[in-house]
Amino acid sequence: MAGHEIPEPADRKQVADPMADLEAAEQTRHSCDPAFRHGVVVGFDGSMSSERALAYAIGMARRLGAGLIIVHVANRLPTTVWAGCEPPVFVDVPDHRTEVLGLELACADHLAEVPWVLVERGGDICHELEEVGQEYEADAIVVGSTHGLVGRIFGSVAGRLARRARRPVIVIP
């Protein structure tokens, strides 16, 4: 029947618009400060290795004329170590180290050369560094190399990050 329209039922449910969800996710992702977009992300925990990575990242950000996003990933420990059950569940351990690191960084003279922000995250270090890199559309992620028994058992952060990251990863020895 040409020209005949079938009316929509009044109780018909609207299907969610997938484009609206995508646009909302894009707006959330781009909510970071534009001054740090295309900056340099650096993992920092106060160790000597991360101090060297920070020094390199400061120089890189200065040369690029970009902001520096310093990321501290708070401790999360698997409860399976204690409970012996599967699947692994993670417990957030209170970590006041970020506050201490923030105060130390605020007093550091060498950070006066570039705009910087300290971001605290909790979870897997590799995942969180890449996530912050994606949020800020970072040009690179700088990390220090892992030394010692922990790196040998669980694999180095730098190695795991280099395999999974979607942006250049610079490992400082």
Side-chain angles (χ1 to χ4, degrees):
M1 295 174 39
H4 181 70
E5 292 184 24
I6 300 174
E8 291 287 327
D11 64 340
R12 185 174 185 165
K13 293 181 182 178
Q14 291 290 332
V15 178
D17 182 12
M19 292 308 290
D21 291 338
L22 183 61
E23 289 171 9
E26 285 291 317
Q27 288 175 353
T28 303
R29 190 181 77 140
H30 292 297
S31 65
C32 64
D33 187 342
F36 295 98
R37 188 153 305 138
H38 298 291
V40 177
V41 170
V42 59
F44 185 74
D45 63 4
S47 67
M48 288 302 293
S49 159
S50 70
E51 291 273 349
R52 289 189 296 270
L54 178 62
Y56 184 89
I58 291 169
M60 184 176 181
R62 186 179 52 235
R63 288 186 300 275
L64 291 173
L68 183 65
I69 302 103
I70 304 169
V71 182
H72 177 248
V73 180
N75 294 326
R76 294 185 87 194
L77 298 175
T79 59
T80 55
V81 171
W82 302 299
C85 61
E86 292 292 330
V89 178
F90 289 91
V91 174
D92 289 325
V93 175
D95 190 357
H96 303 290
R97 183 78 180 133
T98 304
E99 294 172 16
V100 174
L101 290 174
L103 290 172
E104 290 174 6
L105 292 169
C107 296
D109 291 335
H110 57 279
L111 276 171
E113 303 170 12
V114 295
W116 62 276
V117 64
L118 178 61
V119 177
E120 179 184 18
R121 292 293 177 95
D124 176 61
I125 297 169
C126 295
H127 174 76
E128 296 304 325
L129 287 172
E130 175 58 24
E131 186 78 20
V132 171
Q134 183 177 351
E135 288 172 16
Y136 285 90
E137 299 175 16
D139 287 345
I141 300 173
V142 181
V143 292
S145 61
T146 307
H147 300 288
L149 184 60
V150 175
R152 288 187 201 134
I153 293 173
F154 297 109
S156 72
V157 170
R160 290 187 298 139
L161 185 60
R163 285 190 293 276
R164 77 186 299 178
R166 294 182 180 172
R167 63 202 78 256
V169 175
I170 301 165
V171 182
I172 306 302

